[in-house]
């Protein structure tokens, strides 16, 4: 077994697709209509073979309130890279907002960033 997708609440499909593909360099895997005002939108980092993100448009006020705070302010997702410096610089050049300077930890090189909605992520190059 493996986790196939993680649902991430978004305000708007098209703005989310633009951010994840344009700023983070993700690949749009699928964008299929699912009825009025609903789409099946899946994105993943290049080379990702298992876990991906299902961009789920908030459907009611409760869900809309949770956009950007699905983890209560903690880091929600961990984006691993094999070349931290190159990924960090490319993301910064595309307007990704980092909350801190890169730092070295026992487990690798890491920096926290926020996506367009405020969800916190770790950009991480694990120590091998």
């Amino acid at each position: 077994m493996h986790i196939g997708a993680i649902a991430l609440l978004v305000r708007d499909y098209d703005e989310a697709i633009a951010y994840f593909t344009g700023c983070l360099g993700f690949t749009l895997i699928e964008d299929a209509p699912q009825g009025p005002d609903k789409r099946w939108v899946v994105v993943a980092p290049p080379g990702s073979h298992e876990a991906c993100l299902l961009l789920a448009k908030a459907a009611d006020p409760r869900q809309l309130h949770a956009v950007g705070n699905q983890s209560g302010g903690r880091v929600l997702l961990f984006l691993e890279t094999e070349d931290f410096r190159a990924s960090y610089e490319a993301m910064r050049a595309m307007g990704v907002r980092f909350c801190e300077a890169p730092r070295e930890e026992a487990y690798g090189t890491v920096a926290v960033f926020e996506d367009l909605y405020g969800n916190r992520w770790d950009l991480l190059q694990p120590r091998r």
Side-chain angles (χ1 to χ4, degrees), residues 10-87:
V10 301
R11 280 189 306 257
D12 178 82
Y13 292 118
D14 294 324
E15 79 176 355
I17 291 168
Y19 177 81
F20 284 96
T21 61
C23 293
L24 297 186
F26 283 24
T27 301
L28 178 62
I29 306 295
E30 188 172 0
D31 184 356
Q34 298 289 306
D37 203 37
K38 188 173 181 184
R39 290 156 53 185
W40 185 261
V41 178
V42 178
V43 296
S48 182
H49 300 289
E50 291 183 349
C52 55
L53 290 178
L54 171 66
L55 303 179
K57 184 177 175 185
D60 59 39
R62 184 174 63 95
Q63 290 178 11
L64 191 57
H65 182 71
V67 170
N69 192 29
Q70 288 181 232
S71 65
R74 292 188 58 107
V75 168
L76 174 66
L77 298 163
F78 299 80
L79 183 59
E80 291 190 7
T81 180
E82 293 180 9
D83 185 342
F84 181 90
R85 188 59 52 195
S87 297

Side-chain angles (χ1 to χ4, degrees), residues 106-120:
Y107 53 85
T109 306
V110 64
V112 175
F113 70 93
E114 290 183 349
D115 66 24
L116 78 160
Y117 299 112
N119 294 301
R120 295 171 67 87

